[in-house]
Every structure is written in structure tokens, then in C-alpha cells.
Amino acid sequence: GRINSIQFENVSIAKVRALAFSNLAGIEKIEFKNCDIKSIEPQSFKKFILDAFIINGGYVDILPSYSLIGITIQKGLKFENVHFGYMRSSAFRIDGPTIFKIQNCIIENLDSEAFRVNTHGPVFIEDNILPQVSHGAFAGITLDSTYLSWSGRQDLIFENNTLKQFEDYALLFNNTGLSPKLDRIVLDKLCACDDIKLWTDRLVKYTDGSRPIDLTRLMWCTKDDRKNIDSVVQDFQRRHCAHSAARVYWIVSVLIVTLIVLIGLCSLGFYLFRRHARRYMNVPTNDNAQNRLSVHSTHSNHVIIIPEGKTYRETELHVIEERVEPIKEYVPPQAVTQPI
């Protein structure tokens, strides 16, 4: 006989061993519906072609790297209402789906490039909860170059997804053949003026280096944690962050004005000091070193001797006249002899 499809429904699977699903021929669909899978080994699904691969509901603990590898899907690759524990890098290496959908899922830990999916059609990532997202978690989703050449660019819809903890550029999208369309990125964080610029600058980026215009219109944050009230980042910024910016401008302006006033006062003080110093210029003296009259002298007390035997001594603004007295030779008194 021939098996056209494989479906598991409402079952608990302890472990899916390596190569459990490999080299399958003629399979149209594999579907897991409301199943709990505790462990999947690498290369559990390997090298086969089918129309659709679907996981709908249930819980998958850990998807290691290369869980699904070398698989070609000709129609749909869909994950809906699934709770994933940990999805590691390159967990999916799949080619050819005409539609790729991740919807209403919880992925607790999402590694970089967890999805290496080369599609032949649009991508839908909607209504998911992503508590921990690494850098470039969705960067491995691309559009096949051959399909691009004859069908044109395809949409990548990323809408109404909730992120809690995320690395820089966690939402890095390949826009070589895909046209990312983003809306309602819900950040499970309290709204804060200091964080808004960080979110808008370092969360979303495209592989060509560009970013969406005005992400504040597309992002939501938690305005009141107790009441679980969300707010558009743009509205919160306009209502609560404008006064903070005005306060910063006011402080900077005051500092600039204060600096200008201090410079002016210092300049005025220096000018007055120079002017005062010129009023008390030293009286010219005879400088022996230069053998000429000099305005400046190295001595603190200046004495000028002029004819007529007079001496003038400079003391600030006063000239004191002194009389030059000749120095007489000192003659000791002679002893007087008294007659006896």
C-alpha cells in the first residue's frame, strides 16, 4: 500500500529519534495536532518531499539544531497554537513552501536564525508571544531567488507579536526579496522615556541597513503594569516625555548663560587690574645692568640722587626729601688728667 499522510492527534510522544522521519516517498502531509513532544533529536525529519507540514496545538519542549533538515515543502509550512520551550539556531532548514505561517504560538526562547526557510511565497508571523528573542531570530527567512525573478517580491507580515526580553536587532528581517510589513509590536515592558530611543534604534533592522520610518507608531508598551494597560509609544512619548526634553534644554541654556557671564566677569576683572597697574608705574631709575635709565627696576625701593645734595626716595605717590649729611671721622674723646 501507499501512505499519503501521517497524522498524530492528542498523543504524548516521549522522544522522536534521529532519522525517525527520513527518506519518505509519496507523503503529502505530516501533521501533529494537540500533541505533547518532550524530546526531538537532531535530524529527526530529514530528506523528503511533501506538500504540507503542520503542527497545530500542543507542546514541544526543545527543538535542537537541524531538527528538520533537507526537507522540501511544496505548499504550506504552518505552526499554529503551539507552545515551544526552546527553539535553537537552524532548527528548521526547509525549502520551497508557498506559504509560511507562525500564528498564535508561544516560543519561550528563540535563538538566532532559528528558521532557515527559503520560501516561494508570503510569510505570516502573527499574534505570537516571544518572551526571549536573540539577535536576528527571523533573519534566516528568505525568498528563493528564482521565484523572485518571475513572481516579484513577497510580503512578510509581522503583526501583533509580544516581546519581553530581546537582544539588539532581534527583529532583523531579510528584505532582499521580502517586503516586511510591521504593525503592533507589543513590548512587555513598562513605558519609560529613557528606553524609547533604545527600542526604536536597536530593535528592528533590515539586512540592507535600513529601518522602518517612525517605529513609535508601531510599538506598544505597558503604561500601567497593575492594570495591564498598553499605550502606543508615540502617544506616551508625546504626553510624558516632552517635559523631560524641555527640562534638559532649559538646564543646558542656564549653563551656557552662566558660563558666558563668568567669562565676562573674568575679562572685566583682568581689564581693571591692568588699568590700575599702569597708574602706579615705577619711577625711572638708573639700571646698572643696562647702563641706562629704565622704567622697570628689579629693586623694591628706588632712590634718586640729584644735584644740590638732595636725595629723593619714591614711596608710592609721595616723594620724601632727605638731607645728605657728610660723614665725619669719628674721634674718640681724650682722657682728661686731673691734677693731684
Side-chain angles (χ1 to χ4, degrees):
R2 179 180 176 182
I3 300 176
N4 293 326
S5 65
I6 300 174
Q7 182 175 1
F8 297 87
E9 185 173 355
N10 297 319
V11 297
S12 179
I13 302 173
K15 178 180 288 188
V16 181
R17 296 189 179 276
L19 305 178
F21 298 86
S22 64
N23 298 315
L24 300 176
I27 296 294
E28 296 179 359
K29 182 173 72 171
I30 295 178
E31 181 177 5
F32 294 87
K33 188 173 183 179
N34 297 322
C35 296
D36 292 339
I37 304 175
K38 295 182 180 179
S39 176
I40 296 178
E41 293 183 353
Q43 303 187 43
S44 294
F45 301 83
K46 184 176 181 180
K47 289 187 178 180
F48 55 88
I49 300 173
L50 73 167
D51 288 341
F53 186 93
I54 301 170
I55 301 179
N56 190 345
Y59 176 77
V60 179
D61 188 13
I62 298 177
L63 276 168
S65 299
Y66 311 116
S67 295
L68 287 82
I69 182 172
I71 298 174
T72 299
I73 298 176
Q74 297 176 337
K75 292 183 180 179
L77 173 62
K78 300 178 182 179
F79 305 105
E80 298 176 316
N81 305 302
V82 189
H83 187 169
F84 294 98
Y86 205 122
M87 194 175 291
R88 299 195 181 275
S89 297
S90 298
F92 299 92
R93 297 182 71 92
I94 296 174
D95 290 321
T98 56
I99 182 171
F100 177 29
K101 180 180 290 187
I102 307 171
Q103 190 171 40
N104 291 317
C105 293
I106 299 174
I107 307 176
E108 293 181 5
N109 287 275
L110 187 59
D111 272 358
S112 300
E113 296 191 358
F115 303 96
R116 300 296 296 270
V117 180
N118 192 25
T119 72
H120 286 186
V123 178
F124 299 90
I125 305 172
E126 300 173 312
D127 307 316
N128 301 289
I129 298 175
L130 310 171
Q132 184 77 37
V133 185
S134 299
H135 168 83
F138 301 98
I141 302 174
T142 59
L143 184 69
D144 182 76
S145 58
T146 303
Y147 185 83
L148 172 64
S149 63
W150 61 269
S151 69
R153 299 173 66 85
Q154 299 293 312
D155 289 339
L156 188 156
I157 309 297
F158 189 90
E159 183 175 339
N160 196 34
N161 296 287
T162 301
L163 289 74
K164 187 170 184 179
Q165 301 294 332
F166 45 85
E167 296 180 358
D168 289 350
Y169 306 120
L171 303 183
L172 175 64
F173 298 107
N174 190 312
N175 64 336
T176 301
L178 296 170
S179 298
K181 298 184 182 300
L182 283 62
D183 194 14
R184 193 176 171 84
I185 302 172
V186 181
L187 305 180
D188 189 10
K189 292 177 176 289
L190 286 175
C191 300
C193 297
D194 295 337
D195 293 334
I196 288 176
K197 182 172 177 56
L198 182 65
W199 297 339
T200 54
D201 289 349
R202 305 186 68 85
L203 176 58
V204 182
K205 189 178 180 181
Y206 300 148
T207 52
D208 65 356
S210 62
R211 295 189 182 92
I213 299 175
D214 196 6
L215 272 173
T216 57
R217 296 185 299 105
L218 310 177
M219 288 184 177
W220 292 63
C221 56
T222 303
K223 185 178 179 181
D224 191 329
D225 194 23
R226 293 170 297 179
K227 298 180 181 179
N228 196 24
I229 299 175
D230 292 337
S231 172
V232 180
V233 169
Q234 186 182 60
D235 294 341
F236 180 87
Q237 189 177 37
R238 184 178 64 253
R239 295 175 183 176
H240 301 279
C241 302
H243 68 280
S244 299
R247 185 183 305 169
V248 171
Y249 294 143
W250 183 82
I251 293 174
V252 171
S253 300
V254 170
L255 291 176
I256 292 174
V257 171
T258 303
L259 182 61
I260 293 174
V261 171
L262 289 175
I263 293 174
L265 291 175
C266 292
S267 301
L268 179 61
F270 181 74
Y271 169 76
L272 294 176
F273 172 77
R274 292 292 301 272
R275 185 178 179 184
H276 180 76
R278 289 175 182 174
R279 294 180 59 189
Y280 298 98
M281 184 179 294
N282 293 335
V283 176
T285 62
N286 186 14
D287 193 334
N288 294 329
Q290 301 293 334
N291 196 24
R292 59 184 176 84
L293 290 177
S294 174
V295 175
H296 303 286
S297 175
T298 58
H299 303 287
S300 59
N301 295 322
H302 310 300
V303 178
I304 304 175
I305 300 176
I306 60 178
E308 299 181 0
K310 295 182 179 181
T311 301
Y312 293 92
R313 183 185 303 276
E314 176 199 359
T315 59
E316 294 185 356
L317 298 179
H318 304 283
V319 177
I320 301 173
E321 180 180 343
E322 295 182 356
R323 177 71 60 182
V324 178
E325 298 290 342
I327 300 175
K328 297 179 180 181
E329 182 180 359
Y330 175 74
V331 179
Q334 298 292 327
V336 179
T337 304
Q338 298 292 335
I340 299 176

